[in-house]
Amino acid sequence: MTDNHHPPLRSFGRLKSRPIKPRQAALMETRLPGLRVPPGPVDPAALMPGARETWLEIGFGGGEHMAAQAARAPDVLIIGAEPFLNGVASAVRHIDEQGLENVRLHDGDVRELIARLPDASLARVFILFPDPWPKTRQQKRRLVQPELVAELARVLKPGGRLRFASDVASYVDQALERFIAHPAFAWTAGRADDWRVPPADHITTRYEEKRLGDCAPVFLDFLRR
């Protein structure tokens, strides 16, 4: 995905804000190395032998949703990607406190991780409340661009599912346009409640509850044809 002469624009903001709490910092030292996705081509079967399927959460924030999904589906490997160090530290704490053994982390740009995934290796992808870059001049930095959509089509297996959620109206419109423009994705909505009401398996996080956007949360579910 990356052009050596023109690397993709960074789609995320600060890498760190407040100081990381001492306990979380200690867990970053002791637990994170064993949770990291190793460098090189990614083999999900090697990360969790016997996993029923593999899911990817892009931009897991503080890790609440990821950890809850992992607890619900202990036979599923969940890979989480997040460049924000405070979020990674929070996620490691959730993983440690809940004794989760089916989560692996990539503390960096998800596009670099996706480029290392095999074709048709994922059953689900979550992109929940990504950095909105709301100003018109910033929108080129939004994560959901045609290049990413094409890569997600490559790594999702037929019948796989992708969920995008945002509370920024312009991002919802843009993401919907870009996913349905790709022949691999079918929008599953049949009525307004399908995007207005949180899906039954959705976990609401503290970040979502803050309602920082300009509209109520919208949930777009897509099927990989």
PDB file of all heavy atoms in Angstrom, residues 67-81:
ATOM      1  N   ALA A  67     -11.537  -5.566  24.185  1.00  0.00           N
ATOM      2  CA  ALA A  67     -11.458  -6.508  25.301  1.00  0.00           C
ATOM      3  C   ALA A  67     -12.805  -7.194  25.524  1.00  0.00           C
ATOM      4  O   ALA A  67     -12.851  -8.409  25.790  1.00  0.00           O
ATOM      5  CB  ALA A  67     -11.005  -5.781  26.561  1.00  0.00           C
ATOM      6  N   ALA A  68     -13.890  -6.449  25.429  1.00  0.00           N
ATOM      7  CA  ALA A  68     -15.211  -7.040  25.642  1.00  0.00           C
ATOM      8  C   ALA A  68     -15.534  -8.059  24.557  1.00  0.00           C
ATOM      9  O   ALA A  68     -16.087  -9.130  24.831  1.00  0.00           O
ATOM     10  CB  ALA A  68     -16.277  -5.942  25.688  1.00  0.00           C
ATOM     11  N   GLN A  69     -15.198  -7.741  23.315  1.00  0.00           N
ATOM     12  CA  GLN A  69     -15.423  -8.698  22.225  1.00  0.00           C
ATOM     13  C   GLN A  69     -14.565  -9.946  22.426  1.00  0.00           C
ATOM     14  O   GLN A  69     -15.013 -11.079  22.190  1.00  0.00           O
ATOM     15  CB  GLN A  69     -15.123  -8.053  20.869  1.00  0.00           C
ATOM     16  CG  GLN A  69     -16.073  -6.939  20.456  1.00  0.00           C
ATOM     17  CD  GLN A  69     -17.441  -7.447  20.015  1.00  0.00           C
ATOM     18  OE1 GLN A  69     -17.750  -8.637  20.074  1.00  0.00           O
ATOM     19  NE2 GLN A  69     -18.288  -6.525  19.567  1.00  0.00           N
ATOM     20  N   ALA A  70     -13.327  -9.745  22.868  1.00  0.00           N
ATOM     21  CA  ALA A  70     -12.438 -10.886  23.098  1.00  0.00           C
ATOM     22  C   ALA A  70     -12.965 -11.780  24.218  1.00  0.00           C
ATOM     23  O   ALA A  70     -12.873 -13.010  24.144  1.00  0.00           O
ATOM     24  CB  ALA A  70     -11.037 -10.389  23.425  1.00  0.00           C
ATOM     25  N   ALA A  71     -13.523 -11.179  25.253  1.00  0.00           N
ATOM     26  CA  ALA A  71     -14.084 -11.963  26.349  1.00  0.00           C
ATOM     27  C   ALA A  71     -15.308 -12.755  25.903  1.00  0.00           C
ATOM     28  O   ALA A  71     -15.536 -13.883  26.354  1.00  0.00           O
ATOM     29  CB  ALA A  71     -14.440 -11.046  27.517  1.00  0.00           C
ATOM     30  N   ARG A  72     -16.097 -12.171  25.003  1.00  0.00           N
ATOM     31  CA  ARG A  72     -17.289 -12.853  24.498  1.00  0.00           C
ATOM     32  C   ARG A  72     -16.929 -14.021  23.580  1.00  0.00           C
ATOM     33  O   ARG A  72     -17.687 -14.982  23.472  1.00  0.00           O
ATOM     34  CB  ARG A  72     -18.149 -11.872  23.691  1.00  0.00           C
ATOM     35  CG  ARG A  72     -18.928 -10.878  24.490  1.00  0.00           C
ATOM     36  CD  ARG A  72     -19.721 -10.006  23.534  1.00  0.00           C
ATOM     37  NE  ARG A  72     -20.582  -9.045  24.201  1.00  0.00           N
ATOM     38  CZ  ARG A  72     -21.344  -8.170  23.552  1.00  0.00           C
ATOM     39  NH1 ARG A  72     -21.335  -8.138  22.226  1.00  0.00           N
ATOM     40  NH2 ARG A  72     -22.103  -7.317  24.219  1.00  0.00           N
ATOM     41  N   ALA A  73     -15.810 -13.906  22.882  1.00  0.00           N
ATOM     42  CA  ALA A  73     -15.435 -14.908  21.873  1.00  0.00           C
ATOM     43  C   ALA A  73     -14.014 -15.402  22.124  1.00  0.00           C
ATOM     44  O   ALA A  73     -13.094 -15.069  21.379  1.00  0.00           O
ATOM     45  CB  ALA A  73     -15.567 -14.312  20.469  1.00  0.00           C
ATOM     46  N   PRO A  74     -13.803 -16.180  23.171  1.00  0.00           N
ATOM     47  CA  PRO A  74     -12.445 -16.603  23.512  1.00  0.00           C
ATOM     48  C   PRO A  74     -11.790 -17.508  22.479  1.00  0.00           C
ATOM     49  O   PRO A  74     -10.565 -17.693  22.511  1.00  0.00           O
ATOM     50  CB  PRO A  74     -12.632 -17.332  24.849  1.00  0.00           C
ATOM     51  CG  PRO A  74     -14.067 -17.743  24.868  1.00  0.00           C
ATOM     52  CD  PRO A  74     -14.806 -16.681  24.132  1.00  0.00           C
ATOM     53  N   ASP A  75     -12.581 -18.074  21.557  1.00  0.00           N
ATOM     54  CA  ASP A  75     -12.013 -18.924  20.512  1.00  0.00           C
ATOM     55  C   ASP A  75     -11.670 -18.145  19.241  1.00  0.00           C
ATOM     56  O   ASP A  75     -11.318 -18.730  18.218  1.00  0.00           O
ATOM     57  CB  ASP A  75     -12.974 -20.063  20.171  1.00  0.00           C
ATOM     58  CG  ASP A  75     -14.339 -19.576  19.689  1.00  0.00           C
ATOM     59  OD1 ASP A  75     -14.672 -18.386  19.918  1.00  0.00           O
ATOM     60  OD2 ASP A  75     -15.082 -20.383  19.090  1.00  0.00           O
ATOM     61  N   VAL A  76     -11.787 -16.816  19.302  1.00  0.00           N
ATOM     62  CA  VAL A  76     -11.475 -15.949  18.163  1.00  0.00           C
ATOM     63  C   VAL A  76     -10.213 -15.150  18.469  1.00  0.00           C
ATOM     64  O   VAL A  76     -10.074 -14.606  19.571  1.00  0.00           O
ATOM     65  CB  VAL A  76     -12.647 -14.985  17.873  1.00  0.00           C
ATOM     66  CG1 VAL A  76     -12.246 -13.910  16.868  1.00  0.00           C
ATOM     67  CG2 VAL A  76     -13.861 -15.763  17.359  1.00  0.00           C
ATOM     68  N   LEU A  77      -9.294 -15.084  17.516  1.00  0.00           N
ATOM     69  CA  LEU A  77      -8.126 -14.214  17.640  1.00  0.00           C
ATOM     70  C   LEU A  77      -8.537 -12.795  17.258  1.00  0.00           C
ATOM     71  O   LEU A  77      -9.061 -12.586  16.154  1.00  0.00           O
ATOM     72  CB  LEU A  77      -7.006 -14.694  16.727  1.00  0.00           C
ATOM     73  CG  LEU A  77      -5.825 -13.729  16.536  1.00  0.00           C
ATOM     74  CD1 LEU A  77      -5.082 -13.501  17.849  1.00  0.00           C
ATOM     75  CD2 LEU A  77      -4.878 -14.241  15.457  1.00  0.00           C
ATOM     76  N   ILE A  78      -8.322 -11.856  18.155  1.00  0.00           N
ATOM     77  CA  ILE A  78      -8.604 -10.455  17.848  1.00  0.00           C
ATOM     78  C   ILE A  78      -7.289  -9.686  17.824  1.00  0.00           C
ATOM     79  O   ILE A  78      -6.546  -9.669  18.801  1.00  0.00           O
ATOM     80  CB  ILE A  78      -9.570  -9.838  18.879  1.00  0.00           C
ATOM     81  CG1 ILE A  78     -10.902 -10.604  18.868  1.00  0.00           C
ATOM     82  CG2 ILE A  78      -9.798  -8.355  18.573  1.00  0.00           C
ATOM     83  CD1 ILE A  78     -11.968 -10.022  19.762  1.00  0.00           C
ATOM     84  N   ILE A  79      -7.010  -9.085  16.677  1.00  0.00           N
ATOM     85  CA  ILE A  79      -5.829  -8.244  16.517  1.00  0.00           C
ATOM     86  C   ILE A  79      -6.291  -6.795  16.588  1.00  0.00           C
ATOM     87  O   ILE A  79      -7.204  -6.390  15.875  1.00  0.00           O
ATOM     88  CB  ILE A  79      -5.124  -8.503  15.175  1.00  0.00           C
ATOM     89  CG1 ILE A  79      -4.697  -9.973  15.068  1.00  0.00           C
ATOM     90  CG2 ILE A  79      -3.905  -7.589  15.022  1.00  0.00           C
ATOM     91  CD1 ILE A  79      -4.108 -10.336  13.712  1.00  0.00           C
ATOM     92  N   GLY A  80      -5.670  -6.025  17.449  1.00  0.00           N
ATOM     93  CA  GLY A  80      -6.011  -4.618  17.591  1.00  0.00           C
ATOM     94  C   GLY A  80      -4.861  -3.740  17.157  1.00  0.00           C
ATOM     95  O   GLY A  80      -3.700  -4.025  17.467  1.00  0.00           O
ATOM     96  N   ALA A  81      -5.167  -2.674  16.437  1.00  0.00           N
ATOM     97  CA  ALA A  81      -4.154  -1.718  15.988  1.00  0.00           C
ATOM     98  C   ALA A  81      -4.489  -0.344  16.531  1.00  0.00           C
ATOM     99  O   ALA A  81      -5.623   0.114  16.402  1.00  0.00           O
ATOM    100  CB  ALA A  81      -4.079  -1.686  14.461  1.00  0.00           C
TER     101      ALA A  81
END
